């Protein structure tokens, strides 16, 4: 299932086809827990070229509206509306916006779709409303919406620590990924709050991160997710079998699931494996990105 990446269009008071890319966690270690219950993690966040797309049209009357229905997300709970509200009140803007959100990223998939939509909304409205907030100020606001939002605002791939707010930019290699949606929705809090979750993985140094192929760089949330949803384990096993061979990366879950992925050095190999994925699962190929496409557009 290939998706064409439409070009971002800018018109007076409007931005159309603004991309909100997905991320993959190339590994995700839980290294501790804060007193407020949030988990301290270490992870490499990788941007990929599969995106949601958003259209923004400025309103003079200050109202914030989402124009389309999005299954499973009521308008007032949508992170894009919450992001717009937060920026409007922080920047004391009198302007409003109409937003159309075209979803391609599954919810409860561990791809950061909701957080990425929120980040793209903050970037677009900071521009359209001329709020002139710095990157740092936007990231501080973004963290109030979700732990992954600051990463998307940072604009590139990163080694992420803390609960998601400590971001060190890194360069990752060009790769293709086969991503399987096992068809289950995993609410993030249910995984993080599980008794069996291990929370004491030894902290790593990012300079030790060779690439994603090393089996010691794992996703600590995966075991819990597989216990709760056997489909995730089935998808990991299936995908890992396609890449059997010494030294090659096995498949892994991203974030708190449910999506699982496997990396390939070339597009053809990824496409061949993707074509074999059992029909009960949705699967697609994505390419690594080095830069957030919306951030890159704003910088030019
Ligand atoms: O911030 P976000 O909305 O993505 O997190 C959803 C939930 O996941 C939080 O309410 C929390 O229960 C859990 N979480 C956590 N530690 C993190 C990120 C999320 O415990 N670093």
């Amino acid at each position: 299932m290939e998706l064409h990446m439409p070009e971002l269009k800018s018109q007076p008071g409007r931005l159309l086809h603004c991309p909100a890319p997905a991320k993959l966690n190339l590994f995700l270690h839980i290294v501790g827990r804060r007193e407020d219950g949030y988990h301290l993690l270490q992870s490499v966040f990788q941007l990929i070229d599969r995106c949601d797309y958003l259209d923004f049209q400025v309103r003079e009357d200050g109202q914030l509206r989402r124009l389309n229905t999005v299954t499973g997300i009521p308008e007032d709970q949508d992170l894009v509306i919450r992001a717009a509200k937060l920026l409007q009140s922080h920047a004391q803007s009198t302007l409003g916006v109409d937003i159309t959100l075209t979803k391609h990223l599954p919810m409860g998939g561990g791809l950061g779709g909701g957080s990425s939509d929120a980040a793209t909304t903050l970037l677009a409205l900071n521009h359209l409303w001329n709020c002139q907030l710095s990157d740092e100020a936007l990231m501080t606001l973004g963290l109030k919406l979700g732990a992954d939002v600051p990463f998307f605002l940072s604009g590139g791939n990163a080694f992420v620590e803390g609960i998601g707010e400590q971001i060190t930019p890194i360069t990752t290699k060009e790769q293709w990924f086969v991503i399987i949606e096992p068809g289950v929705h995993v609410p993030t809090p249910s995984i993080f709050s599980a008794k069996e979750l291990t929370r004491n993985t030894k902290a790593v140094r990012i300079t030790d991160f060779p690439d994603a192929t090393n089996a010691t760089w794992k996703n600590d949330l995966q075991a819990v997710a597989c216990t709760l949803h056997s489909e995730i384990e089935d998808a990991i096993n299936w995908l890992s079998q396609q890449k059997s061979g010494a030294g090659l990366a096995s498949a892994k879950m991203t974030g708190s699931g449910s999506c699982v992925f496997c990396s390939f050095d070339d597009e053809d190999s990824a496409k061949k494996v993707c074509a074999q994925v059992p029909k009960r699962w949705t699967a697609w190929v994505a390419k690594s990105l080095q830069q957030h496409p919306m951030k890159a557009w704003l910088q030019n």
Side-chain angles (χ1 to χ4, degrees):
M1 200 177 31
E2 290 211 35
L3 279 183
H4 163 70
M5 218 169 165
E7 201 175 321
L8 196 156
K9 275 208 186 104
S10 171
Q11 294 164 358
R14 290 173 97 184
L15 285 177
L16 304 176
H17 314 311
C18 296
K23 57 84 176 164
L24 294 174
N25 295 99
L26 298 188
F27 71 90
L28 198 167
H29 292 169
I30 305 296
V31 297
R33 197 175 196 180
R34 294 199 318 199
E35 277 181 7
D36 64 2
Y38 261 81
H39 290 78
L40 298 169
L41 50 90
Q42 288 191 314
S43 181
V44 164
F45 279 60
Q46 168 72 58
L47 294 168
I48 55 171
D49 66 355
R50 182 89 163 187
C51 305
D52 288 339
Y53 292 93
L54 295 96
D55 297 339
F56 300 91
Q57 164 89 53
V58 171
R59 295 176 64 104
E60 299 296 329
D61 64 4
Q63 283 192 57
L64 308 172
R65 298 197 326 189
R66 191 187 67 194
L67 297 186
N68 62 317
T69 307
V70 182
T71 314
I73 322 178
E75 182 178 350
D76 59 341
Q77 288 168 30
D78 193 327
L79 272 180
V80 302
I81 294 296
R82 290 175 48 208
K85 258 190 201 148
L86 195 62
L87 181 64
Q88 191 188 45
S89 80
H90 181 86
Q92 300 188 333
S93 177
T94 56
L95 296 171
V97 69
D98 283 336
I99 304 176
T100 305
L101 168 60
T102 307
K103 287 290 303 171
H104 296 292
L105 306 175
M107 281 172 274
L111 298 167
S115 301
S116 190
D117 295 343
T120 290
T121 301
L122 290 175
L123 290 170
L125 296 181
N126 190 39
H127 175 78
L128 284 172
W129 291 346
N130 197 21
C131 302
Q132 302 196 359
L133 262 63
S134 66
D135 285 353
E136 290 68 31
L138 278 184
M139 282 157 84
T140 305
L141 268 193
L143 188 61
K144 295 183 183 176
L145 297 164
D148 292 346
V149 180
F151 157 72
F152 287 106
L153 292 167
S154 76
N157 300 314
F159 180 52
V160 174
E161 297 174 279
I163 66 161
E165 79 290 7
Q166 295 169 32
I167 295 165
T168 309
I170 58 166
T171 304
T172 55
K173 68 174 185 180
E174 183 175 85
Q175 297 187 97
W176 282 261
F177 301 96
V178 172
I179 296 157
I180 297 183
E181 300 175 24
V184 290
H185 174 98
V186 180
T188 304
S190 69
I191 303 293
F192 274 110
S193 61
K195 273 204 197 74
E196 347 40 291
L197 178 64
T198 56
R199 301 178 167 91
N200 57 356
T201 294
K202 200 166 159 283
V204 294
R205 289 175 313 168
I206 192 51
T207 44
D208 297 335
F209 180 63
D211 59 26
T213 61
N214 188 326
T216 58
W217 303 82
K218 57 190 188 347
N219 182 341
D220 284 334
L221 304 178
Q222 185 172 306
V224 173
C226 287
T227 310
L228 295 176
H229 306 278
S230 60
E231 282 289 298
I232 297 178
E233 186 163 30
D234 293 347
I236 290 171
N237 289 341
W238 184 88
L239 202 45
S240 294
Q241 275 163 19
Q242 312 309 307
K243 280 205 69 179
S244 52
L248 292 177
S250 58
K252 231 179 260 181
M253 192 177 82
T254 176
S256 55
S258 62
C259 289
V260 310
F261 68 96
C262 195
S263 61
F264 296 83
D265 288 337
D266 65 284
E267 187 174 13
D268 276 356
S269 308
K271 281 185 168 168
K272 272 185 200 137
V273 168
C274 192
Q276 302 297 321
V277 172
K279 292 287 168 270
R280 68 178 188 278
W281 296 321
T282 302
W284 32 279
V285 172
K287 190 183 177 205
S288 56
L289 292 175
Q290 278 308 323
Q291 265 195 313
H292 190 301
M294 176 83 186
K295 199 74 196 284
W297 182 84
L298 286 168
Q299 278 160 358
N300 293 327

